[in-house]
Amino acid sequence: MSKTNQTTSHCRDNPMLDEWMVVSPHRCNRPWKGEISAPQKFDMPEYDPKNPLCPRNTRQNGETNPDYESTFLFDNDFPALQPIGIPDEAGIEESWANEDDDQSQNQSQSQSSKDKFNFYISKPATGKCRVMCFHPKTNITIPLMTKNELLKIINTWADEVDQLSKKYCYVQVFENKGAMMGCSNPHPHCQIWASNFYPNVIQKKINSFTKYFEKYDSPMLLDYAKAEMENDQGKDRILYTCPNKNWLVLVPYWAMWPFESLVIFIGRPNIYTFSQLTENERLDLGLAMKTLTTRYDNLFQCSFSYSMGFQIAPNLPEEKFKKLGWQFHAHYFPPLLRSATVKKHVAGYELLAQPQRDLTPEMACKKLMDVDGEIHYTKNLEN
């Protein structure tokens, strides 16, 4: 396959996950008779007495929320991972942490549930799932929050991730926003899952980042950020660079989702998690998040759905961590394709062969840059 641009479609390589991408911008011209989704709107009340995430309300397990005024954390009432049987040390079990090591593979097989066919292998997966409410008001989302409200969110992330990282291999902070992305509750919140294993994507990143660092003695993401900022064509994919040059937001060269974005901390090397950030760097992160999500909402004048996640460096043995080359970053994966009601479907060829997208990253970036990143569209409607 060629990596060069063609008039109809071309392929892109994802250096982080070693995957290819088919890009077919001409498909945006095809007529659409598929699913039309209802646009996500700002029509919720500030307080809903039936919403289990609102202050003072009782959740399904019988617990009553405090009358919180900023962030609020609690154990997920319906956790995917249970905090049982966690290791005494830092959560780094040989059977999980060193999957590429032959000796640990043998240990893993002896400890796993396995039969003579080698098709049915299982391992114990334990962890802790937390829910974090961003704000007491249900009708407030990230682009509508103040810098101090965003700073409180980031500070809470820092504290919670540090606590969970003492016990578990990996901690994932993520937000599913909007019913289109499977969010079951419109109240502004995220989830924090900690696990005694490295999830598939993280394991792939460990391998890719390590391979790159061993070859170039430099973190892949910082080199990529530098290449995009210094490359004339790369500048067409940059959405935002904060005034203090701490954060870079761009549509990555290998993006699969129509308006996918990558947020990279570029202020200093060897930054792996929230707690390493200074207060000014945290304020800049809040501004980067607010600017990006404001552009999202303004693009189709709706409350733009997405899945977002910060990827913190996993716990690794010291020798492996030195060669990891991890740099703190976040992904935004929004599903909308051409309007507030038409989303991208991952189906057919994408499920059976490889990912495909209908916009080039440069086209997506231009569409987002053509809308305001400061004034939310609802403010204009109020006037």
Side-chain angles (χ1 to χ4, degrees), residues 115-156:
D115 76 359
K116 63 181 180 180
F117 298 109
N118 294 322
F119 297 136
Y120 313 102
I121 301 174
S122 63
K123 302 177 184 179
T126 61
K128 193 175 185 67
C129 297
R130 301 274 279 164
V131 175
M132 173 180 156
C133 294
F134 291 155
H135 199 282
K137 295 180 180 179
T138 298
N139 62 349
I140 295 294
T141 58
I142 294 290
L144 297 174
M145 292 183 191
T146 67
K147 67 176 183 180
N148 288 330
E149 289 170 337
L150 292 170
L151 180 60
K152 289 179 182 178
I153 292 172
I154 296 166
N155 287 342
T156 306

Side-chain angles (χ1 to χ4, degrees), residues 306-321:
Y306 57 74
S307 280
M308 173 275 284
F310 283 91
Q311 301 208 303
I312 296 109
N315 279 326
L316 284 172
E318 185 176 357
E319 286 305 309
K320 289 199 170 189
F321 194 85

Side-chain angles (χ1 to χ4, degrees), residues 264-284:
I264 309 172
F265 179 74
I266 60 173
R268 295 174 286 133
N270 303 317
I271 299 300
Y272 317 117
T273 187
F274 294 102
S275 58
Q276 291 179 286
L277 302 174
T278 66
E279 181 170 324
N280 284 336
E281 290 166 348
R282 297 182 192 195
L283 286 167
D284 285 345

Side-chain angles (χ1 to χ4, degrees), residues 43-74:
D43 54 1
M44 286 81 68
E46 285 189 3
Y47 170 77
D48 181 353
K50 296 182 180 180
N51 190 315
L53 296 187
C54 283
R56 305 180 301 281
N57 289 357
T58 301
R59 305 197 306 276
Q60 286 184 295
N61 65 352
E63 294 188 13
T64 300
N65 300 330
D67 191 12
Y68 64 93
E69 297 181 352
S70 58
T71 59
F72 167 51
L73 269 163
F74 61 93

Side-chain angles (χ1 to χ4, degrees), residues 19 42 58 206 295 364 371:
E19 295 176 351
F42 291 95
T58 301
I206 290 172
R295 290 192 188 279
V371 296

